Amino acid sequence: MQRICVIGGSRYFGKLLVGRLQTAGHQVTVINRGSTPAPAGVEHLVVDRDDEAALMAALDARTFDVVVDQVCYTPVQAAIAARVFSGRTRRYVMTSTIEVYDPATAALPTVPLGTPVSEESVDPTTWHVAMDLPWHDDAYLEAHYAEGKRQAEAVLAQVGSFAFASVRSAHVLGGGAREFTGRLAHYAERITRGEGITVHAKALPTVFIHYQELADLLVWATAADFTGPVNACSDGPLDVYDFAEIVARQAGREAVYRTVPEDEEASPFSFDRHYAMSNARAKLLGFSFSRTTDWLPGAVAETLAAPAAPHA
């Protein structure tokens, strides 16, 4: 049994993570702002993680074997966590994102087209941190989501007094109405209604992961001893045409496409630049991934069966 603290953990794969840790017999503490109650048997500390003094007071004398941070988006938040959990945990696992590799958001090493992007492309131990940027501004943070994640990783890797690992997640799908991004629902609804999907003519592939598989990987990461980043994606990249055709088959319809120039925004999984991740490091460390094409049809069916979101 381990003492595990989950920051966030109130919805989607974070909620599933908490349940699986509890089922495995771990002593689980959840920290969030209290919008959703924790499951029975899970300690719940209601506090804003951005309020350093309040977080310190809420933790009191508690210590943990592992902290899993689901909601760290900026270097400011990471710096608070590094100070607060200094001496309180031996291991810190942060949920990060494929977006750290997006070449449109930073000057990154060029990866040959078709070569899966490895963790070395963004090294948190050397990444520059700028604490004086307007990270508290919601609009700025939304526009700089990828850089916020890169710098948050960098702070925890460079100044944390614990073993640090980041899990860089691919695009997370599955769960029907639980999938709060709405991206799969976007395709399901448009294809079902016969509406066009905006795509790039030469759309490049990306990678995905089922929310249950991501929860499994995070549970695995709490018990592992690796440090540094690890990419989390199912086997088998798909481009937007592959993706839409799987949705269309499940919906019993034909996908209709509308092509836009490369420099224009298209639908969520149409990319005009390459940053599909490699999952080779996680495999070498012992994690086994499913194939995207094995679980995606079921995830589409679940989305099609979910109540439609209201339209304005």
Side-chain angles (χ1 to χ4, degrees), residues 36-263:
T36 303
V42 171
E43 182 182 41
H44 190 187
L45 302 181
V46 178
V47 63
D48 185 345
R49 57 124 0 112
D50 295 336
D51 186 332
E52 185 169 351
L55 184 55
M56 290 278 275
L59 287 168
D60 195 25
R62 292 173 179 82
T63 61
F64 306 97
D65 296 297
V66 187
V67 173
V68 183
D69 194 341
Q70 298 277 81
V71 288
C72 189
Y73 302 110
T74 74
V76 175
Q77 291 177 322
I80 290 172
R83 290 190 294 269
V84 169
F85 288 97
S86 176
R88 293 180 186 271
T89 188
R90 60 170 179 79
R91 180 169 178 78
Y92 201 101
V93 179
M94 174 188 152
T95 304
S96 191
T97 173
I98 185 176
E99 301 302 331
V100 302
Y101 300 118
D102 186 351
T105 62
L108 300 173
T110 301
V111 178
L113 188 63
T115 301
V117 181
S118 66
E119 290 85 354
E120 289 78 9
S121 292
V122 177
D123 183 355
T125 66
T126 60
W127 197 263
H128 176 69
V129 174
M131 301 291 287
D132 57 347
L133 295 174
W135 296 114
H136 294 293
D137 182 275
D138 289 342
Y140 181 86
L141 179 55
E142 182 177 358
H144 296 83
Y145 171 73
E147 183 60 17
K149 283 289 193 179
R150 284 188 287 258
Q151 292 195 27
E153 285 190 43
V155 169
L156 292 166
Q158 293 172 26
V159 306
S161 62
F162 31 65
F164 172 67
S166 59
V167 172
R168 294 173 175 169
S169 169
H171 305 291
V172 189
L173 299 175
R178 291 187 293 273
E179 186 202 316
F180 64 88
T181 67
R183 291 176 177 178
L184 184 50
H186 166 85
Y187 285 92
E189 290 170 9
R190 294 193 70 83
I191 290 172
T192 299
R193 295 197 297 259
E195 298 174 356
I197 301 295
T198 55
V199 297
H200 299 104
K202 297 180 179 179
L204 297 174
T206 188
V207 286
F208 302 90
I209 191 166
H210 194 273
Y211 81 111
Q212 293 181 355
E213 186 165 43
L214 181 54
D216 288 339
L217 189 142
L218 288 165
V219 171
W220 167 77
T222 64
D225 59 3
F226 71 88
T227 58
V230 66
N231 294 336
C233 59
S234 301
D235 289 333
L238 301 173
D239 65 27
V240 67
Y241 299 100
D242 300 325
F243 185 88
E245 290 306 313
I246 291 173
V247 176
R249 283 198 297 272
Q250 290 296 311
R253 304 294 296 270
E254 289 189 9
V256 178
Y257 302 104
R258 183 173 66 84
T259 304
V260 298
E262 288 189 3
D263 57 351

Side-chain angles (χ1 to χ4, degrees), residues 259-282:
T259 304
V260 298
E262 288 189 3
D263 57 351
E264 286 189 21
E265 186 174 353
S267 56
F269 300 133
S270 183
F271 294 100
D272 58 357
R273 54 202 185 275
H274 168 58
Y275 60 108
M277 299 188 300
S278 165
N279 61 14
R281 184 178 189 225

